[in-house]
Amino acid sequence: MSKFTLAVVAGASAAVGAATTAAIYGLGGSRRQTPETQSVTTATRTGPLPPIQQRDGPHTPGPIIPPVDPSGVFQYGFPGPVNDLHSAVSLTSAFDRAKRNPHWVAEHITPASLLLRNGDRRHSYFAEDPAIPEKFRAKLTDYARSGYDRGHQVPAADAKWSQEAMDSTFWLSNMCPQVGEGFNRDYWAHFEDFCRRLTSFYPSVRIVTGPLYLPKREADGKWRVSYEVIGHPPNVAVPTHFYKIIFAEDGKTGGNVSLGAFVLPNAVIHNDKPLKDFEVPVEAVERASGLEFAGLLPPARRRRLCDEINCSVIVKEYAERQRTMMTPPPAKPGQAGTGLAQR
Amino acid sequence: MSKFTLAVVAGASAAVGAATTAAIYGLGGSRRQTPETQSVTTATRTGPLPPIQQRDGPHTPGPIIPPVDPSGVFQYGFPGPVNDLHSAVSLTSAFDRAKRNPHWVAEHITPASLLLRNGDRRHSYFAEDPAIPEKFRAKLTDYARSGYDRGHQVPAADAKWSQEAMDSTFWLSNMCPQVGEGFNRDYWAHFEDFCRRLTSFYPSVRIVTGPLYLPKREADGKWRVSYEVIGHPPNVAVPTHFYKIIFAEDGKTGGNVSLGAFVLPNAVIHNDKPLKDFEVPVEAVERASGLEFAGLLPPARRRRLCDEINCSVIVKEYAERQRTMMTPPPAKPGQAGTGLAQR
């Protein structure tokens, strides 16, 4: 069954009855009868499977008509998960209803978009996202006195081009609990600044940001995932790490794309730590998150970001950064002061 | 944007280019402009938001045309998550690519389906599921020497009506790591037996089964989720709990449905423990899993399962259970020996 068909089922079954679902779904057919998967099936079992007729017992000669309808439960509602794929002017996101954090938030910045200054973060307010059902929503009260920042995934500073654009970065569906001092207000902010400075060398930069919940090897040799959940009752998961996948485009149709993937721990990171220490293969983020980021990008168009530019942060102290929040964006290529040495 | 549209986007964007995606997606429009969500928005912020024209800065008089295209990243592939919704003759399932366990597996049993005995588990083999991309698949080697059973979510014993039906319960996409002795081979098996015995009173029983990863309050008062990940490298999450949502149907079109929801820890459970101790509201499973199970079932049609029948397990020792595996299914209503006293 194709992804398209599955997606239609997923959408349709939430709204219509079991009869339609069954009709679309083609109940009774096995999904593993395509030549491709059949060969894999055979490979993982001990020898080929006999045709179904030979397996019929004495009670039912001839092919068996399934006596049950497992997908019929959709008549009571499609279980999901629903990933709340949403778009606003400044970001597109998918939401994890079990952890009340986004799965990923995608943004797009250009030299021109960073030059516009029509939005001011002093006019924006953190807000619960009414597009997420109440039962699965992150709440303002979950973060209150939790000890964690409401950490933007798409930074407000990337969406100054209109107040609406900036406002839409303040929904809690664009937030995760982040360690404040030493991370969100420091190294992570320097990393976000690095991403903006990329527009000095690339006319178009796309960034996908999101949380990870990574296992750690313990003293007994076993791997465990362990993370706090904030709120009373506990509601929002505190990620162990955050990733950014960066697509720096050369601006040509079908042109080259310089890829960079970074994974940072949700913890105090010393400013001296080189950004390159956090560089990982895109596939590492994919395995950890269950997501896929560049499956349709042909290898011939791929470049490695950190081969082309100097992947390092510039440390600006928090107070200074706040003061310069509304100063012009980074200089254009060829101008001094971008902080990104081209190799 | 309706779920249907989102689902189409999710499916389509994996296969087609950015142009189509952008066309379907209606880029630039904000999702929160419907009257319903707008009112919620206003309620969660401090006063109504002024119209966007009044917010324009001096640089751009008039409405702002978005200078960016956040969903344009879909040209490199849709990130997902893809939930691998699949159907086989004996089950329908959705898969969690981050944890390599199912989100849920749905089945359907009837008195007639349990009477058929054309499948034999001695002819079935545990197998990796070729329908899940290799990168996200649970592997046989992950379970090897892990100390955990390959725990069926839809039990093999519910799918004896054909060998194909039974075989399709042996894909690892129908498994989670389960504590063996004291749980999978004992209390959990008694619980599965309880579900089968429901067909003595209800002509049609639907069961949705899946894993949970629940937080626990620690000594410092904080809530933490903590679970092992098995495999080398670590690959498959070990759930802390398992749920079953039971829909016992009266067999009439639009008839009554008796609902039962149970959450059991993935741990040794003493046989004396009453099953009713594990009964929870359906909504508790929904909040914990991020899923929804009965949104389309009108309250007037709902009954509470444990109000109608005696929700308790019958303890059969493992050896005896293995011996009686192929004996006839539970007796019909009115006959003795079902072990379910009708109230």
Side-chain angles (χ1 to χ4, degrees), chain A residues 36-272:
Chain A
E36 182 203 342
T37 59
Q38 191 60 55
S39 66
V40 180
T41 307
T42 306
T44 56
R45 296 184 167 213
T46 56
L49 300 172
I52 191 158
Q53 286 84 344
Q54 298 179 12
R55 278 189 256 118
D56 290 345
H59 301 292
T60 52
I64 294 169
I65 297 160
V68 295
D69 167 19
S71 296
V73 76
F74 294 170
Q75 70 189 285
Y76 306 125
F78 178 70
V82 172
N83 301 315
D84 300 292
L85 180 62
H86 290 311
S87 90
V89 288
S90 57
L91 57 84
T92 300
S93 61
F95 190 75
D96 181 344
R97 291 185 172 190
K99 301 209 185 69
R100 336 301 183 196
N101 283 325
H103 281 296
W104 52 263
V105 192
E107 62 176 312
H108 181 207
I109 53 175
T110 67
S113 79
L114 294 181
L115 267 173
L116 292 167
R117 291 177 292 123
N118 304 300
D120 184 337
R121 68 180 296 155
R122 288 171 299 182
H123 301 146
S124 295
Y125 304 91
F126 290 94
E128 296 172 12
D129 190 340
I132 309 292
E134 192 280 338
K135 188 156 43 176
F136 302 123
R137 212 177 278 167
K139 307 279 169 58
L140 290 166
T141 51
D142 295 327
Y143 281 88
R145 288 177 299 281
S146 71
Y148 293 97
D149 279 10
R150 294 165 294 196
H152 282 74
Q153 302 300 287
V154 166
D158 292 7
K160 289 183 190 165
W161 54 267
S162 88
Q163 191 63 43
E164 185 197 356
M166 174 153 292
D167 287 353
S168 52
T169 71
F170 277 78
W171 298 106
L172 290 194
S173 53
N174 182 43
M175 307 292 161
C176 292
Q178 287 188 326
V179 168
E181 252 181 82
F183 185 68
N184 182 42
R185 305 173 204 169
D186 295 287
Y187 202 95
W188 182 254
H190 310 325
F191 180 35
E192 290 173 338
D193 175 65
F194 161 79
C195 295
R196 278 187 293 276
R197 284 186 288 115
L198 291 174
T199 59
S200 302
F201 293 104
Y202 302 96
S204 172
V205 177
R206 301 180 183 284
I207 308 158
V208 182
T209 306
L212 293 172
Y213 310 86
L214 299 185
K216 211 166 74 173
R217 190 164 207 161
E218 298 199 335
D220 59 1
K222 291 182 179 173
W223 292 84
R224 290 191 86 79
V225 170
S226 186
Y227 57 85
E228 193 179 340
V229 185
I230 58 173
H232 304 282
N235 197 46
V236 179
V238 180
T240 64
H241 293 73
F242 291 93
Y243 68 83
K244 278 189 190 284
I245 311 287
I246 300 169
F247 302 79
E249 300 171 325
D250 70 3
K252 296 172 192 141
T253 305
N256 293 336
V257 180
S258 304
L259 276 174
F262 298 87
V263 171
L264 279 68
N266 187 14
V268 174
I269 301 176
H270 199 279
N271 281 333
D272 293 345

Side-chain angles (χ1 to χ4, degrees), chain B residues 108-128:
Chain B
H108 182 208
I109 52 175
T110 67
S113 79
L114 294 181
L115 268 172
L116 293 167
R117 291 177 292 125
N118 306 300
D120 185 337
R121 68 180 295 155
R122 288 171 299 184
H123 301 146
S124 294
Y125 304 90
F126 290 94
E128 297 173 12

Side-chain angles (χ1 to χ4, degrees), chain A residues 3-4 6-9 11-14 16 25 28-32 37 40-41 44-46 52 55-57 59-60 64 66-81 83 85-92 94 97-100 103-104 106-109 113 116-118 125 127-131 134-136 161-164 167 171 173 206 208 215 222-229 234 247 249 257 283 286-297 301, chain B residues 3-4 6-9 11-14 16 25 28-32 37 40-41 44-46 52 55-57 59-60 64 66-83 85-92 94 97-100 103-104 106-109 113 116-118 125 127 129-131 134-136 161-164 167 171 173 206 208 215 222-229 234 247 249 257 283 286-297 301:
Chain A
K3 274 180 195 161
F4 185 82
L6 293 171
V8 171
V9 173
S13 55
V16 300
Y25 215 77
S30 169
R31 71 187 184 281
R32 296 179 185 88
T37 59
V40 180
T41 307
T44 56
R45 296 184 167 213
T46 56
I52 191 158
R55 278 189 256 118
D56 290 345
H59 301 292
T60 52
I64 294 169
V68 295
D69 167 19
S71 296
V73 76
F74 294 170
Q75 70 189 285
Y76 306 125
F78 178 70
N83 301 315
L85 180 62
H86 290 311
S87 90
V89 288
S90 57
L91 57 84
T92 300
R97 291 185 172 190
K99 301 209 185 69
R100 336 301 183 196
H103 281 296
W104 52 263
E107 62 176 312
H108 181 207
I109 53 175
S113 79
L116 292 167
R117 291 177 292 123
N118 304 300
Y125 304 91
E128 296 172 12
D129 190 340
E134 192 280 338
K135 188 156 43 176
F136 302 123
W161 54 267
S162 88
Q163 191 63 43
E164 185 197 356
D167 287 353
W171 298 106
S173 53
R206 301 180 183 284
V208 182
K222 291 182 179 173
W223 292 84
R224 290 191 86 79
V225 170
S226 186
Y227 57 85
E228 193 179 340
V229 185
F247 302 79
E249 300 171 325
V257 180
E283 189 173 303
E286 293 181 332
R287 285 184 184 271
S289 63
L291 306 172
E292 288 184 292
F293 297 101
L296 299 181
L297 182 62
R301 292 177 57 195
Chain B
K3 275 180 194 159
F4 185 81
L6 293 172
V8 170
V9 173
S13 55
V16 300
Y25 214 78
S30 169
R31 73 187 183 279
R32 296 179 184 89
T37 59
V40 180
T41 307
T44 57
R45 296 184 167 213
T46 56
I52 189 156
R55 277 190 254 117
D56 289 345
H59 302 292
T60 52
I64 294 167
V68 295
D69 166 19
S71 296
V73 76
F74 294 170
Q75 70 191 285
Y76 306 125
F78 179 70
V82 172
N83 301 314
L85 180 61
H86 290 311
S87 89
V89 288
S90 57
L91 57 84
T92 300
R97 290 185 172 190
K99 301 209 185 70
R100 334 303 182 194
H103 281 296
W104 51 264
E107 62 176 314
H108 182 208
I109 52 175
S113 79
L116 293 167
R117 291 177 292 125
N118 306 300
Y125 304 90
D129 190 339
E134 193 280 338
K135 188 156 44 175
F136 303 123
W161 53 269
S162 87
Q163 191 63 42
E164 183 196 358
D167 287 353
W171 298 106
S173 53
R206 302 180 183 283
V208 183
K222 291 181 180 174
W223 293 84
R224 291 190 84 81
V225 170
S226 187
Y227 56 86
E228 192 179 340
V229 184
F247 302 79
E249 301 172 324
V257 181
E283 189 173 303
E286 293 181 332
R287 285 184 185 272
S289 63
L291 306 172
E292 287 184 293
F293 297 101
L296 299 182
L297 181 64
R301 292 177 57 194

